[in-house]
Amino acid sequence: MVHLAHLLLKNYHGGHVVIRFARGGCANRPYFRIVAAYNKRARDSKYLEQVGCYDPLPNSQNEKLVGLNIERLKHWIGCGANITKPVGKLLGNYFFHSELFACIS
Amino acid sequence: MAALGASRCLWCRAVAARRLQRPGPALLGSRGRSSEAGERTSGATKPCFTDEAVQSLLSKLTGLDLQKVFRPLKQELKPPTYKLMTEEQLEEATEKALQEAKRILKMPPVLSKRAPIDDVLAEDRILEGTETAKYVFTDITYGIPHRERFIVVREPSGVLRKATWEERDRMIQVYFPKKERKVIPSPVFNDENLMTVFQKGHHEDILNLCIAQFEPDSANYIRVHHRTYDDIDKYGRYDLLRSTRHFGGMVWYLVNKKTTDGLLIDMIQRNLLNDATCLITLYHMLHPDCQSAKATKEEEVHGVDLIKVFVKTESQKVGYIELALQAYEEALASSAALSNKSLI
């Protein structure tokens, strides 16, 4: 059998993994998925893994819901993924000092 | 033909009953932990709801009316299935139905109210004024029990605090939805609307909804249950819950509150004297320091005499209970006289 899959997959020269937002939802109604993807990929296209979600519009209780899969997030940060500024701002809201340091180290 | 009809009813309902909501494994796990904690704190002297002796007494009181347990529920329409059975097969089917009924009548847990969560993790006043809405962060890692999840709220004032129990329940329902449970509890559970529900006699339905919607140790669950039991006690409609899984919980609540008179009168009027003695034994188990308990310990009292001793010392509605007892004894005597006459 001829194995061609790995040759057909896109190879990046000098690309790296980032954790960033992928926008979903509709016009005037954003919804973000927090996603671990290659840097060179389009914003909403194939990602490596979804690591959370963020709804920027507040609900009836005036809350913005964020779900984070901490275990997988730690894994990707451990693998050397970069974090974009908006995601970093969101995570900065969540983590308080000691846990952030524990997470990264 | 009647036997065929009855067995058909039992089979259909047994199949349908499997689809009814049951507490899931996660809930059972946490329920086990909290009831252990309850036993440790209450001490060896006070019997707990989950003790075997208490549970056996409560299940005897609940009764096992197959016709009521397997009565037609509002479900999707299916044409009835008819089976032709021999006498033995019919007995086996009745046995199976009894086992299924026991499973349906398993009592939901009775736990004490959970302590409110008030933990502030960090205070970053720098962030004050940057946001207008709260951020609720939920840890959606797969495989953590729901009770141990991190759910944290960042207020617009910059305070990072742990989420309250209501917020926790809502978030867990958003990310890990359970069937029949809504994200925001329905307004049926508000006190004003409960009154309307009770007037129409839907006590059992509201209790089933409450079990599906709330956790057993949440304030709303306990409040709805206590209101229902109080309403039933006020109007004496104990028969609504007899042979359902809520009867044990109701008896436990009434015995703890020491307002068992209405229930006693109802039992005597329906000629359920065994149930009445069970109730009084349970009362003595829970309150071993009361006068009637001490009196019955000294002399071995059974049956009607036990009820009489209890009535004299512990009840408030002495007159009513004694009247009911008199009526019962007269009815017994007259039926005995009639049977003697027929024999002669």
Side-chain angles (χ1 to χ4, degrees):
Chain A
M1 169 126 172
V2 186
H3 296 273
L4 287 176
H6 69 282
L7 294 169
L8 293 168
L9 279 172
K10 192 115 189 212
N11 289 319
Y12 295 111
H13 172 69
H16 52 93
V17 178
V18 279
I19 298 184
R20 62 187 185 190
F21 286 139
R23 189 194 198 272
C26 303
N28 292 320
R29 206 291 179 223
Y31 181 80
F32 298 106
R33 279 169 294 160
I34 303 169
V35 132
Y38 279 119
N39 176 36
K40 299 286 187 192
R41 276 274 185 194
R43 183 196 67 188
D44 292 341
S45 81
K46 275 193 211 155
Y47 45 79
L48 294 160
E49 189 181 352
Q50 182 179 353
V51 161
C53 56
Y54 166 52
D55 181 7
L57 296 189
N59 66 6
S60 55
Q61 260 86 7
N62 201 28
E63 298 158 346
K64 296 186 186 177
L65 303 186
V66 183
L68 296 166
N69 192 341
I70 303 293
E71 190 207 327
R72 296 306 299 169
L73 196 59
K74 281 192 198 180
H75 171 265
W76 284 112
I77 297 179
C79 283
N82 291 5
I83 305 187
T84 56
K85 260 199 198 164
V87 176
K89 206 171 152 194
L90 202 63
L91 294 179
N93 263 333
Y94 170 55
F95 289 114
F96 51 105
H97 340 282
S98 53
E99 198 175 311
L100 184 62
F101 292 143
C103 192
I104 290 189
S105 63
Chain B
M1 277 306 290
L4 271 178
S7 64
R8 182 247 299 177
C9 207
L10 293 170
W11 268 111
C12 288
R13 294 316 137 211
V15 164
R18 272 180 228 129
R19 298 209 197 111
L20 284 174
Q21 268 305 305
R22 297 282 150 243
L27 187 61
L28 281 168
S30 60
R31 180 212 308 171
R33 261 178 255 138
S34 343
S35 62
E36 278 167 23
E39 277 173 29
R40 262 182 258 132
T41 50
S42 58
T45 46
K46 182 156 186 212
C48 196
F49 185 70
T50 45
D51 286 347
E52 275 184 34
V54 173
Q55 283 284 314
S56 63
L57 279 173
L58 288 175
S59 43
K60 256 191 241 168
L61 285 169
T62 311
L64 199 73
D65 183 11
L66 284 174
Q67 291 301 321
K68 189 173 174 190
V69 173
F70 292 115
R71 75 183 179 285
L73 300 162
K74 283 198 186 142
Q75 285 169 27
E76 67 257 21
L77 282 173
K78 258 188 323 186
T81 50
Y82 292 93
K83 290 191 176 171
L84 197 59
M85 292 188 190
T86 58
E87 283 287 332
E88 293 164 348
Q89 283 175 331
L90 186 63
E91 275 170 21
E92 277 174 48
T94 337
E95 271 284 324
K96 273 199 187 167
L98 273 172
Q99 298 296 327
E100 186 66 32
K102 277 196 191 136
R103 197 186 64 85
I104 294 176
L105 290 181
K106 185 150 188 244
M107 291 177 225
V110 173
L111 304 167
S112 47
K113 225 195 268 194
R114 53 196 178 187
I117 306 180
D118 263 335
D119 219 0
V120 170
L121 298 168
E123 285 213 25
D124 299 311
R125 291 291 166 181
I126 310 173
L127 296 170
E128 199 161 342
T130 50
E131 297 287 340
T132 47
K134 302 186 260 187
Y135 279 92
V136 181
F137 296 92
T138 318
D139 182 10
I140 46 179
T141 312
Y142 189 76
I144 313 181
H146 288 316
R147 296 266 162 159
E148 291 168 15
R149 263 179 211 289
F150 279 115
I151 301 183
V152 141
V153 175
R154 172 77 77 172
E155 300 272 355
S157 62
V159 162
L160 185 69
R161 60 171 176 83
K162 284 194 180 166
T164 58
W165 283 113
E166 284 79 38
E167 284 167 355
R168 282 190 70 90
D169 288 338
R170 256 190 303 126
M171 291 304 122
I172 289 169
Q173 183 57 18
V174 166
Y175 292 109
F176 302 96
K178 213 171 162 192
K179 262 189 196 174
E180 310 284 337
R181 199 179 270 207
K182 303 206 177 124
V183 176
I184 299 177
S186 140
V188 148
F189 299 111
N190 297 339
D191 285 327
E192 323 81 59
N193 302 330
L194 278 179
M195 293 289 118
T196 337
V197 170
F198 295 149
Q199 268 167 19
K200 299 211 174 154
H202 295 314
H203 298 80
E204 196 197 336
D205 300 323
I206 192 90
L207 284 179
N208 285 333
L209 275 177
C210 179
I211 291 176
Q213 178 68 38
F214 298 116
E215 300 277 307
D217 50 0
S218 71
N220 282 326
Y221 179 97
I222 294 174
R223 175 183 59 88
V224 171
H225 275 253
H226 288 190
R227 289 258 192 287
T228 321
Y229 298 149
D230 285 331
D231 185 79
I232 289 184
D233 193 28
K234 194 167 146 193
Y235 294 109
R237 294 156 93 173
Y238 306 96
D239 211 40
L240 282 171
L241 288 194
R242 201 164 262 139
S243 228
T244 59
R245 55 187 177 147
H246 310 291
F247 197 77
M250 181 178 78
V251 170
W252 181 260
Y253 171 69
L254 291 175
V255 171
N256 273 322
K257 230 173 121 190
K258 297 197 177 183
T259 47
T260 47
D261 301 325
L263 188 56
L264 256 182
I265 298 173
D266 183 72
M267 280 175 178
I268 298 170
Q269 280 169 350
R270 286 175 205 270
N271 299 333
L272 295 166
L273 276 206
N274 292 331
D275 287 0
T277 40
C278 283
L279 177 64
I280 297 175
T281 344
L282 186 66
Y283 191 102
H284 291 164
M285 271 171 74
L286 274 178
H287 304 283
D289 306 327
C290 67
Q291 287 175 325
S292 63
K294 289 179 191 157
T296 48
K297 250 192 229 173
E298 291 150 26
E299 331 132 2
E300 285 284 322
V301 192
H302 293 288
V304 187
D305 306 317
L306 181 63
I307 306 178
K308 286 187 182 157
V309 170
F310 178 79
V311 159
K312 268 179 231 160
T313 49
E314 285 303 321
S315 65
Q316 277 96 37
K317 299 186 194 170
V318 186
Y320 289 107
I321 303 186
E322 288 190 346
L323 264 177
L325 270 174
Q326 260 184 352
Y328 171 76
E329 277 164 359
E330 279 165 22
L332 253 188
S334 58
S335 67
L338 271 174
S339 60
N340 280 338
K341 275 191 194 165
S342 62
L343 277 174
I344 295 166

